[in-house]
Coordinates of all heavy atoms in Angstrom, one line a residue:
M103 N 279.1 124.6 15.8 CA 279.4 123.6 14.8 C 280.9 123.8 14.5 O 281.3 124.9 14.1 CB 278.5 123.6 13.6 CG 278.8 122.6 12.6 SD 278.2 121.0 12.9 CE 276.5 121.1 12.8
A104 N 281.7 122.7 14.6 CA 283.1 122.8 14.2 C 283.2 122.1 12.8 O 282.7 121.0 12.6 CB 284.0 122.1 15.2
H105 N 283.8 122.8 11.9 CA 284.0 122.2 10.5 C 285.5 121.9 10.4 O 286.3 122.8 10.6 CB 283.6 123.2 9.5 CG 282.2 123.6 9.6 ND1 281.1 122.9 9.2 CD2 281.6 124.8 10.2 CE1 280.0 123.5 9.5 NE2 280.3 124.7 10.1
V106 N 285.9 120.7 9.9 CA 287.3 120.3 9.8 C 287.5 120.3 8.2 O 286.8 119.6 7.5 CB 287.6 119.0 10.4 CG1 289.0 118.6 10.2 CG2 287.3 119.0 11.9
F107 N 288.5 121.0 7.8 CA 288.9 121.0 6.4 C 290.3 120.4 6.2 O 291.2 120.6 7.0 CB 289.0 122.5 5.9 CG 287.6 123.1 5.8 CD1 287.0 123.7 6.9 CD2 287.0 123.1 4.5 CE1 285.8 124.3 6.7 CE2 285.7 123.7 4.4 CZ 285.1 124.3 5.5
D108 N 290.5 119.7 5.1 CA 291.8 119.3 4.7 C 292.1 120.1 3.5 O 291.6 119.8 2.4 CB 291.8 117.8 4.4 CG 293.2 117.3 4.0 OD1 294.2 118.1 3.9 OD2 293.4 116.1 3.9
L109 N 292.9 121.2 3.7 CA 293.1 122.1 2.6 C 293.9 121.5 1.4 O 293.8 122.1 0.3 CB 293.9 123.3 3.2 CG 293.2 124.0 4.3 CD1 294.0 125.2 4.9 CD2 291.8 124.6 3.8
A110 N 294.6 120.5 1.7 CA 295.4 119.8 0.6 C 294.4 119.0 -0.3 O 294.7 118.8 -1.5 CB 296.4 118.9 1.1
V111 N 293.2 118.7 0.2 CA 292.3 117.9 -0.6 C 291.3 118.8 -1.2 O 291.1 118.8 -2.4 CB 291.6 116.8 0.3 CG1 290.5 116.1 -0.5 CG2 292.6 115.8 0.8
N112 N 290.5 119.6 -0.4 CA 289.5 120.4 -0.9 C 289.3 121.6 0.1 O 288.9 121.3 1.2 CB 288.2 119.7 -1.1 CG 287.1 120.5 -1.7 OD1 287.2 121.7 -1.9 ND2 286.0 119.8 -2.2
K113 N 289.6 122.8 -0.4 CA 289.5 123.9 0.5 C 288.1 124.5 0.6 O 287.8 125.4 1.4 CB 290.5 125.0 0.1 CG 290.2 125.5 -1.3 CD 291.3 126.5 -1.6 CE 291.2 126.8 -3.1 NZ 292.5 127.0 -3.7
Y114 N 287.1 124.0 -0.2 CA 285.8 124.5 -0.2 C 284.8 123.6 0.6 O 283.7 124.0 0.9 CB 285.3 124.7 -1.6 CG 286.1 125.6 -2.4 CD1 287.0 125.2 -3.4 CD2 286.2 127.0 -2.0 CE1 287.8 126.1 -4.1 CE2 287.0 127.9 -2.7 CZ 287.7 127.4 -3.8 OH 288.5 128.3 -4.4
E115 N 285.1 122.3 0.8 CA 284.2 121.4 1.5 C 284.8 120.8 2.7 O 286.0 120.3 2.6 CB 283.9 120.3 0.4 CG 282.8 119.4 0.9 CD 282.4 118.4 -0.2 OE1 282.6 118.7 -1.4 OE2 281.9 117.3 0.2
A116 N 284.1 120.8 3.8 CA 284.6 120.2 5.0 C 284.6 118.7 5.0 O 283.7 118.1 4.4 CB 283.7 120.7 6.2
I117 N 285.6 118.1 5.5 CA 285.7 116.6 5.6 C 284.9 116.1 6.8 O 284.6 114.9 6.8 CB 287.1 116.1 5.5 CG1 287.9 116.6 6.7 CG2 287.8 116.4 4.2 CD1 289.3 116.0 6.8
C118 N 284.6 117.0 7.7 CA 283.9 116.5 9.0 C 283.2 117.7 9.6 O 283.8 118.8 9.6 CB 284.9 116.0 9.9 SG 284.3 115.6 11.5
N119 N 282.0 117.5 10.0 CA 281.3 118.5 10.8 C 280.9 118.0 12.1 O 280.3 116.9 12.2 CB 280.0 119.0 10.0 CG 280.3 119.6 8.7 OD1 281.2 120.4 8.6 ND2 279.5 119.2 7.7
Q120 N 281.2 118.7 13.2 CA 280.9 118.2 14.5 C 280.2 119.3 15.3 O 280.7 120.4 15.5 CB 282.3 117.8 15.2 CG 282.1 117.4 16.7 CD 281.5 116.1 16.8 OE1 281.7 115.2 16.0 NE2 280.6 115.9 17.8
P121 N 279.0 119.0 15.9 CA 278.3 120.0 16.7 C 279.1 120.1 18.0 O 279.5 119.1 18.6 CB 277.0 119.4 17.0 CG 277.0 118.0 16.6 CD 278.2 117.8 15.7
V122 N 279.4 121.3 18.5 CA 280.2 121.6 19.6 C 279.3 122.2 20.8 O 279.4 121.7 21.9 CB 281.3 122.5 19.3 CG1 282.1 122.9 20.5 CG2 282.2 121.9 18.2
V123 N 278.5 123.2 20.5 CA 277.8 123.9 21.5 C 276.4 123.3 21.6 O 275.7 123.1 20.6 CB 277.7 125.4 21.1 CG1 277.0 126.2 22.2 CG2 279.1 126.0 20.9
A124 N 276.0 123.0 22.9 CA 274.7 122.4 23.1 C 273.5 123.4 22.9 O 272.5 123.0 22.4 CB 274.7 121.8 24.5
K125 N 273.7 124.6 23.3 CA 272.6 125.6 23.1 C 272.9 126.6 22.0 O 274.1 126.9 21.7 CB 272.5 126.4 24.4 CG 272.1 125.5 25.6 CD 272.0 126.3 26.9 CE 271.6 125.4 28.0 NZ 271.5 126.2 29.3
K126 N 271.9 127.1 21.4 CA 272.1 128.0 20.2 C 272.6 129.3 20.7 O 273.2 130.1 19.9 CB 270.8 128.1 19.5 CG 270.4 126.9 18.8 CD 269.1 127.1 18.0 CE 268.7 125.8 17.3 NZ 267.5 126.0 16.5
K127 N 272.4 129.7 22.0 CA 272.8 131.0 22.5 C 274.3 131.1 22.7 O 274.9 132.1 22.6 CB 272.1 131.3 23.8 CG 270.6 131.4 23.7 CD 270.0 131.7 25.0 CE 268.5 131.8 24.9 NZ 267.9 132.0 26.2
N128 N 275.0 129.9 22.9 CA 276.4 129.9 23.2 C 277.2 130.1 21.8 O 276.8 129.5 20.8 CB 276.8 128.6 23.8 CG 276.2 128.5 25.2 OD1 275.5 129.3 25.7 ND2 276.5 127.4 25.9
K129 N 278.3 130.8 21.9 CA 279.1 131.0 20.7 C 280.5 130.6 21.0 O 281.0 130.8 22.0 CB 279.0 132.5 20.3 CG 277.7 133.0 19.9 CD 277.7 134.4 19.5 CE 276.3 134.9 19.2 NZ 276.2 136.3 19.0
I130 N 281.1 129.9 20.0 CA 282.5 129.5 20.1 C 283.4 130.7 20.1 O 283.3 131.6 19.2 CB 282.8 128.5 19.0 CG1 282.0 127.3 19.1 CG2 284.3 128.2 19.0 CD1 282.2 126.3 18.0
T131 N 284.3 130.8 21.1 CA 285.2 131.9 21.1 C 286.7 131.6 21.0 O 287.5 132.4 20.5 CB 285.1 132.7 22.5 OG1 285.3 131.8 23.5 CG2 283.7 133.3 22.6
H132 N 287.0 130.3 21.3 CA 288.5 129.9 21.3 C 288.6 128.5 20.7 O 287.7 127.6 21.0 CB 289.1 129.9 22.6 CG 289.2 131.2 23.3 ND1 289.7 132.3 22.7 CD2 288.8 131.6 24.5 CE1 289.6 133.3 23.5 NE2 289.1 133.0 24.6
V133 N 289.6 128.3 19.9 CA 289.9 126.9 19.4 C 291.4 126.7 19.6 O 292.3 127.6 19.3 CB 289.6 126.8 17.9 CG1 290.1 125.4 17.4 CG2 288.2 127.0 17.7
Q134 N 291.8 125.6 20.2 CA 293.2 125.3 20.5 C 293.5 123.9 19.9 O 292.8 122.9 20.2 CB 293.5 125.3 22.0 CG 295.0 125.1 22.3 CD 295.8 126.3 21.9 OE1 295.5 127.4 22.0 NE2 297.0 126.0 21.3
F135 N 294.6 123.8 19.2 CA 295.0 122.5 18.6 C 296.2 121.9 19.4 O 297.0 122.7 19.9 CB 295.5 122.7 17.2 CG 294.4 123.3 16.3 CD1 294.3 124.6 16.1 CD2 293.6 122.4 15.6 CE1 293.3 125.1 15.2 CE2 292.6 122.9 14.8 CZ 292.4 124.3 14.6
N136 N 296.2 120.6 19.6 CA 297.3 119.9 20.3 C 298.3 119.6 19.2 O 298.0 118.9 18.2 CB 296.7 118.7 21.0 CG 297.8 118.0 21.9 OD1 298.9 117.8 21.4 ND2 297.4 117.8 23.1
P137 N 299.6 120.0 19.4 CA 300.6 119.7 18.4 C 301.0 118.2 18.4 O 301.6 117.8 17.4 CB 301.8 120.6 18.9 CG 301.6 120.8 20.3 CD 300.1 120.8 20.5
I138 N 300.7 117.4 19.4 CA 301.2 116.1 19.5 C 300.0 115.1 19.1 O 300.1 114.2 18.3 CB 301.8 115.7 20.8 CG1 303.0 116.6 21.0 CG2 302.2 114.2 20.9 CD1 303.5 116.6 22.5
Y139 N 298.9 115.3 19.8 CA 297.7 114.4 19.7 C 296.7 115.0 18.8 O 296.6 116.2 18.7 CB 297.2 114.1 21.1 CG 298.2 113.4 22.0 CD1 298.7 114.2 23.0 CD2 298.5 112.1 21.8 CE1 299.6 113.5 23.9 CE2 299.5 111.5 22.7 CZ 300.0 112.2 23.7 OH 300.9 111.7 24.5
P140 N 295.9 114.2 18.1 CA 294.8 114.7 17.2 C 293.6 115.1 18.0 O 292.5 114.6 17.9 CB 294.5 113.4 16.4 CG 294.8 112.3 17.2 CD 296.0 112.7 18.1
I141 N 293.8 116.2 18.8 CA 292.7 116.7 19.7 C 292.6 118.2 19.5 O 293.5 118.9 19.3 CB 293.1 116.4 21.2 CG1 293.1 114.9 21.4 CG2 292.1 117.1 22.1 CD1 293.6 114.5 22.8
I142 N 291.3 118.6 19.5 CA 291.0 120.0 19.4 C 290.2 120.4 20.7 O 289.2 119.7 21.0 CB 290.2 120.3 18.2 CG1 291.0 119.9 16.9 CG2 289.8 121.8 18.1 CD1 290.1 120.0 15.7
I143 N 290.5 121.5 21.3 CA 289.8 122.0 22.5 C 289.0 123.3 22.0 O 289.6 124.2 21.4 CB 290.7 122.4 23.6 CG1 291.6 121.2 24.0 CG2 290.0 123.0 24.8 CD1 290.8 120.1 24.7
V144 N 287.7 123.3 22.3 CA 286.9 124.4 21.8 C 286.2 125.0 23.1 O 285.7 124.3 23.9 CB 285.8 123.9 20.9 CG1 284.9 125.1 20.4 CG2 286.4 123.2 19.7
G145 N 286.4 126.4 23.2 CA 285.7 127.1 24.3 C 284.7 128.0 23.9 O 284.8 128.6 22.8
D146 N 283.6 128.2 24.6 CA 282.5 129.1 24.3 C 282.5 130.3 25.2 O 283.3 130.4 26.1 CB 281.2 128.3 24.2 CG 280.7 127.8 25.5 OD1 281.2 128.2 26.6 OD2 279.7 127.0 25.5
D147 N 281.5 131.2 24.9 CA 281.5 132.4 25.7 C 281.0 132.3 27.1 O 281.0 133.2 27.9 CB 280.6 133.4 24.9 CG 279.2 132.9 24.7 OD1 278.9 131.7 24.8 OD2 278.3 133.8 24.3
R148 N 280.4 131.1 27.4 CA 280.0 130.8 28.8 C 281.0 130.1 29.6 O 280.8 129.8 30.8 CB 278.7 130.0 28.7 CG 277.6 130.5 27.9 CD 276.7 131.3 28.8 NE 275.6 131.8 28.0 CZ 274.5 132.3 28.4 NH1 274.3 132.3 29.7 NH2 273.6 132.7 27.7
G149 N 282.2 129.9 29.1 CA 283.3 129.2 29.8 C 283.2 127.7 29.7 O 284.0 127.0 30.4
H150 N 282.4 127.1 28.9 CA 282.3 125.7 28.7 C 283.5 125.2 27.7 O 283.7 126.0 26.8 CB 281.0 125.2 28.2 CG 279.9 125.5 29.2 ND1 279.0 126.5 29.0 CD2 279.5 124.8 30.3 CE1 278.2 126.5 30.0 NE2 278.4 125.5 30.8
I151 N 284.1 124.1 28.0 CA 285.1 123.6 27.2 C 284.7 122.2 26.6 O 284.2 121.4 27.4 CB 286.4 123.5 28.0 CG1 286.9 124.9 28.4 CG2 287.5 122.9 27.1 CD1 288.1 124.9 29.4
T152 N 285.0 122.0 25.4 CA 284.7 120.8 24.7 C 285.9 120.2 24.1 O 286.6 121.0 23.4 CB 283.6 120.9 23.7 OG1 282.4 121.5 24.2 CG2 283.2 119.6 23.1
C153 N 286.2 119.0 24.3 CA 287.4 118.3 23.7 C 286.9 117.4 22.6 O 286.1 116.6 22.8 CB 288.1 117.5 24.8 SG 289.6 116.7 24.2
L154 N 287.5 117.6 21.4 CA 287.1 116.8 20.2 C 288.3 116.0 19.8 O 289.4 116.6 19.6 CB 286.7 117.7 19.1 CG 285.5 118.6 19.4 CD1 285.3 119.6 18.3 CD2 284.3 117.8 19.6
K155 N 288.1 114.7 19.6 CA 289.2 113.9 19.1 C 289.0 113.7 17.6 O 287.9 113.3 17.2 CB 289.2 112.6 19.8 CG 290.3 111.6 19.4 CD 290.3 110.3 20.2 CE 291.4 109.4 19.6 NZ 291.3 108.1 20.3
L156 N 290.0 113.9 16.8 CA 289.9 113.7 15.4 C 289.8 112.2 15.0 O 290.5 111.4 15.6 CB 291.1 114.3 14.7 CG 291.0 114.6 13.2 CD1 289.9 115.6 12.9 CD2 292.3 115.2 12.7
S157 N 288.8 111.8 14.2 CA 288.6 110.5 13.9 C 289.8 109.8 13.2 O 290.5 110.5 12.4 CB 287.4 110.4 12.9 OG 287.3 109.1 12.3
P158 N 290.1 108.6 13.5 CA 291.2 107.9 12.8 C 291.1 107.9 11.3 O 292.0 107.9 10.6 CB 291.2 106.5 13.4 CG 290.5 106.6 14.7 CD 289.5 107.7 14.5
N159 N 289.8 107.8 10.8 CA 289.6 107.9 9.4 C 290.1 109.2 8.7 O 290.5 109.2 7.6 CB 288.1 107.6 9.0 CG 287.7 106.2 9.4 OD1 288.5 105.3 9.4 ND2 286.4 106.1 9.7
L160 N 290.0 110.3 9.5 CA 290.4 111.6 8.9 C 291.9 111.7 9.0 O 292.5 112.6 8.4 CB 289.8 112.7 9.7 CG 288.2 112.7 9.7 CD1 287.7 113.8 10.6 CD2 287.8 112.9 8.2
R161 N 292.6 110.9 9.8 CA 294.1 111.0 10.0 C 294.8 110.2 9.0 O 296.0 110.2 8.9 CB 294.5 110.6 11.4 CG 294.0 111.6 12.4 CD 294.4 111.3 13.8 NE 293.4 110.6 14.5 CZ 293.5 109.6 15.3 NH1 294.7 109.1 15.6 NH2 292.5 109.0 15.9
K162 N 294.1 109.3 8.2 CA 294.8 108.5 7.3 C 295.3 109.3 6.1 O 294.7 110.2 5.6 CB 293.9 107.4 6.7 CG 293.5 106.4 7.7 CD 292.5 105.4 7.1 CE 292.1 104.3 8.1 NZ 291.1 103.4 7.5
M163 N 296.5 108.9 5.6 CA 297.1 109.6 4.5 C 296.4 109.0 3.2 O 296.1 107.9 3.1 CB 298.6 109.3 4.4 CG 299.4 109.9 5.5 SD 299.2 111.7 5.7 CE 300.2 112.2 4.2
P164 N 296.2 109.9 2.2 CA 295.6 109.4 1.0 C 296.5 108.3 0.3 O 297.7 108.4 0.4 CB 295.5 110.6 0.1 CG 296.0 111.8 0.8 CD 296.5 111.3 2.2
K165 N 295.8 107.4 -0.4 CA 296.5 106.3 -1.1 C 297.3 106.9 -2.3 O 296.8 107.8 -2.9 CB 295.6 105.2 -1.5 CG 294.9 104.5 -0.4 CD 294.1 103.4 -0.9 CE 293.4 102.6 0.3 NZ 292.5 101.6 -0.2
E166 N 298.5 106.3 -2.5 CA 299.3 106.7 -3.6 C 298.7 106.1 -4.9 O 298.2 104.9 -4.9 CB 300.7 106.2 -3.5 CG 301.4 106.8 -2.3 CD 302.8 106.3 -2.0 OE1 303.3 105.6 -2.9 OE2 303.3 106.5 -1.0
K167 N 298.7 106.8 -6.0 CA 298.2 106.3 -7.3 C 299.3 105.5 -7.9 O 300.5 105.7 -7.7 CB 297.8 107.5 -8.2 CG 296.6 108.2 -7.6 CD 296.3 109.4 -8.6 CE 295.1 110.2 -8.0 NZ 294.8 111.3 -8.8
K168 N 299.0 104.6 -8.8 CA 299.9 103.7 -9.4 C 300.9 104.5 -10.3 O 300.4 105.4 -11.0 CB 299.2 102.7 -10.3 CG 298.5 101.6 -9.5 CD 297.9 100.6 -10.4 CE 297.1 99.5 -9.6 NZ 296.5 98.5 -10.4
G169 N 302.1 104.3 -10.2 CA 303.1 105.0 -11.0 C 303.4 106.4 -10.6 O 304.3 107.1 -11.2
Q170 N 302.8 106.9 -9.5 CA 303.1 108.2 -9.0 C 303.9 108.2 -7.7 O 303.5 107.5 -6.8 CB 301.8 108.9 -8.8 CG 301.9 110.4 -8.4 CD 300.6 111.0 -8.1 OE1 299.5 110.4 -8.1 NE2 300.6 112.4 -8.0
E171 N 304.9 108.9 -7.7 CA 305.8 109.0 -6.5 C 305.3 110.1 -5.6 O 305.3 111.3 -6.1 CB 307.2 109.1 -6.9 CG 308.2 108.9 -5.7 CD 309.6 108.9 -6.2 OE1 309.9 108.3 -7.2 OE2 310.4 109.6 -5.5
V172 N 304.9 109.9 -4.4 CA 304.5 110.9 -3.5 C 305.6 111.3 -2.6 O 306.3 110.5 -2.0 CB 303.3 110.4 -2.6 CG1 302.8 111.5 -1.7 CG2 302.1 110.0 -3.5
Q173 N 305.9 112.6 -2.6 CA 306.9 113.1 -1.7 C 306.4 113.3 -0.3 O 305.3 113.7 -0.1 CB 307.4 114.5 -2.2 CG 308.0 114.4 -3.6 CD 308.4 115.7 -4.1 OE1 308.1 116.8 -3.6 NE2 309.2 115.7 -5.2
K174 N 307.2 113.0 0.7 CA 306.9 113.2 2.1 C 307.9 114.0 2.8 O 309.0 114.1 2.4 CB 306.7 111.8 2.8 CG 305.7 110.9 2.1 CD 305.6 109.5 2.8 CE 304.6 108.7 2.1 NZ 304.5 107.3 2.7
G175 N 307.5 114.5 4.0 CA 308.4 115.2 4.9 C 308.0 116.6 5.2 O 307.0 117.1 4.6
P176 N 308.7 117.2 6.1 CA 308.3 118.6 6.5 C 308.4 119.6 5.4 O 307.6 120.5 5.3 CB 309.3 118.9 7.6 CG 309.9 117.6 8.0 CD 309.7 116.7 6.9
A177 N 309.4 119.4 4.5 CA 309.6 120.4 3.4 C 308.4 120.4 2.5 O 308.0 121.5 2.0 CB 310.8 120.1 2.7
V178 N 307.8 119.3 2.2 CA 306.6 119.2 1.4 C 305.5 119.9 2.0 O 304.7 120.6 1.4 CB 306.3 117.7 1.0 CG1 305.1 117.6 0.2 CG2 307.5 117.1 0.3
E179 N 305.3 119.6 3.3 CA 304.1 120.2 4.0 C 304.3 121.8 4.1 O 303.3 122.5 3.9 CB 304.0 119.7 5.4 CG 303.7 118.2 5.4 CD 302.4 117.8 4.7 OE1 301.4 118.5 4.8 OE2 302.4 116.8 4.0
I180 N 305.5 122.2 4.3 CA 305.8 123.7 4.3 C 305.5 124.3 2.9 O 304.9 125.4 2.8 CB 307.2 124.0 4.7 CG1 307.4 123.6 6.2 CG2 307.6 125.4 4.5 CD1 308.8 123.6 6.7
A181 N 305.8 123.6 1.9 CA 305.5 124.1 0.5 C 304.0 124.2 0.3 O 303.6 125.1 -0.3 CB 306.2 123.2 -0.5
K182 N 303.3 123.2 0.8 CA 301.8 123.2 0.6 C 301.2 124.4 1.4 O 300.3 125.1 0.8 CB 301.2 121.9 1.2 CG 301.4 120.7 0.4 CD 300.8 119.5 1.1 CE 301.0 118.2 0.4 NZ 300.4 117.1 1.1
L183 N 301.7 124.7 2.6 CA 301.2 125.8 3.4 C 301.6 127.2 2.7 O 300.8 128.1 2.6 CB 301.7 125.8 4.8 CG 301.1 124.8 5.7 CD1 301.8 124.7 7.0 CD2 299.6 125.1 5.9
D184 N 302.8 127.2 2.1 CA 303.2 128.5 1.4 C 302.3 128.7 0.2 O 301.9 129.8 -0.1 CB 304.7 128.3 1.0 CG 305.6 128.5 2.2 OD1 305.2 129.1 3.2 OD2 306.8 128.1 2.0
K185 N 302.0 127.6 -0.5 CA 301.1 127.8 -1.7 C 299.8 128.3 -1.3 O 299.2 129.2 -1.9 CB 301.0 126.4 -2.4 CG 300.2 126.4 -3.6 CD 300.1 125.0 -4.2 CE 299.2 125.0 -5.4 NZ 299.0 123.6 -6.0
L186 N 299.2 127.7 -0.2 CA 297.9 128.2 0.3 C 297.9 129.6 0.8 O 297.0 130.4 0.5 CB 297.4 127.2 1.4 CG 296.1 127.6 2.0 CD1 295.0 127.3 1.0 CD2 295.8 126.8 3.3
L187 N 299.0 130.0 1.5 CA 299.1 131.4 2.0 C 299.2 132.4 0.8 O 298.7 133.5 0.9 CB 300.3 131.5 2.9 CG 300.1 130.9 4.3 CD1 301.4 130.9 5.1 CD2 299.0 131.5 5.1
N188 N 300.0 132.0 -0.2 CA 300.1 132.9 -1.4 C 298.7 133.0 -2.1 O 298.4 134.1 -2.5 CB 301.1 132.3 -2.4 CG 302.5 132.4 -1.8 OD1 302.8 133.3 -1.0 ND2 303.4 131.5 -2.3
L189 N 298.0 131.9 -2.1 CA 296.6 132.0 -2.7 C 295.7 133.0 -1.9 O 295.0 133.8 -2.5 CB 296.0 130.6 -2.8 CG 294.6 130.5 -3.3 CD1 294.6 130.9 -4.8 CD2 294.0 129.2 -3.1
V190 N 295.8 132.9 -0.6 CA 295.0 133.8 0.2 C 295.5 135.2 0.1 O 294.7 136.2 0.0 CB 295.1 133.3 1.7 CG1 294.5 134.4 2.7 CG2 294.4 132.0 1.9
R191 N 296.8 135.4 0.0 CA 297.3 136.8 -0.2 C 296.8 137.4 -1.5 O 296.5 138.6 -1.6 CB 298.8 136.8 -0.1 CG 299.3 136.6 1.3 CD 300.8 136.6 1.4 NE 301.3 136.2 2.7 CZ 302.2 135.2 2.9 NH1 302.8 134.6 1.9 NH2 302.5 134.9 4.2
E192 N 296.8 136.6 -2.6 CA 296.4 137.0 -3.9 C 294.9 137.5 -3.8 O 294.5 138.5 -4.4 CB 296.5 136.0 -4.9 CG 298.0 135.7 -5.3 CD 298.1 134.5 -6.2 OE1 297.1 134.1 -6.8 OE2 299.3 134.1 -6.5
V193 N 294.1 136.7 -3.2 CA 292.7 137.0 -3.1 C 292.5 138.3 -2.3 O 291.7 139.1 -2.6 CB 291.9 135.8 -2.4 CG1 290.5 136.2 -2.1 CG2 291.9 134.6 -3.3
K194 N 293.3 138.5 -1.2 CA 293.1 139.7 -0.4 C 293.5 140.9 -1.2 O 292.9 142.0 -1.0 CB 294.1 139.5 0.8 CG 293.4 139.6 2.1 CD 294.4 139.5 3.2 CE 293.6 139.8 4.5 NZ 294.5 139.7 5.7
T195 N 294.5 140.8 -2.0 CA 295.0 142.0 -2.8 C 294.0 142.4 -3.9 O 293.9 143.5 -4.3 CB 296.4 141.8 -3.4 OG1 296.4 140.6 -4.2 CG2 297.4 141.7 -2.3
K196 N 293.3 141.4 -4.4 CA 292.3 141.7 -5.4 C 291.1 142.4 -4.9 O 290.4 143.1 -5.7 CB 291.9 140.3 -6.1 CG 293.0 139.7 -6.9 CD 292.5 138.5 -7.6 CE 293.6 137.8 -8.4 NZ 293.2 136.6 -9.0
T197 N 290.8 142.2 -3.6 CA 289.5 142.8 -3.1 C 289.8 144.2 -2.5 O 290.8 144.7 -2.4 CB 288.9 142.0 -2.0 OG1 289.8 141.7 -1.0 CG2 288.4 140.7 -2.6

């Protein structure tokens, strides 16, 4: 089962769950993301490869709220990732 999370929205609940492996004995060993297209390639321990296309509904940007200005661009996305990485580092140091 592949679980897709949007960490900017909710890091505890998947926005999409997709069964990948046909048999319960097979285990997912590799995941590869395409940097250009919304595609994920998943490989299992038997050498089978599954290509998953991300739904257009999951690729939509959230709507802006009235009176709120939403910042866009690579710098904003980098700041979001830095915030998430700092959160993970804090949790790691506490344990």
Side-chain angles (χ1 to χ4, degrees):
M103 181 75 70
H105 305 279
V106 178
F107 289 84
D108 186 349
L109 301 177
V111 175
N112 187 347
K113 60 186 171 214
Y114 300 111
E115 187 175 333
I117 58 173
C118 174
N119 297 320
Q120 176 69 38
V122 177
V123 182
K125 297 180 182 179
K126 292 182 180 179
K127 295 179 183 178
N128 297 0
K129 296 180 183 174
I130 296 173
T131 56
H132 296 309
V133 177
Q134 184 68 43
F135 299 92
N136 188 308
I138 300 169
Y139 300 106
I141 296 173
I142 301 171
I143 303 290
V144 181
D146 66 14
D147 59 347
R148 304 266 181 165
H150 296 102
I151 297 173
T152 306
C153 179
L154 303 170
K155 181 179 178 186
L156 198 59
S157 168
N159 292 333
L160 298 176
R161 291 183 263 144
K162 290 181 182 176
M163 295 299 289
K165 293 182 180 179
E166 299 175 10
K167 295 180 181 176
K168 291 183 180 179
Q170 183 181 11
E171 189 174 316
V172 178
Q173 298 175 347
K174 297 179 182 178
V178 175
E179 298 301 320
I180 291 171
K182 287 180 187 177
L183 284 173
D184 285 340
K185 181 179 175 184
L186 181 67
L187 288 172
N188 288 334
L189 179 67
V190 171
R191 288 180 188 130
E192 288 175 12
V193 171
K194 240 182 174 180
T195 57
K196 289 181 182 178
T197 56

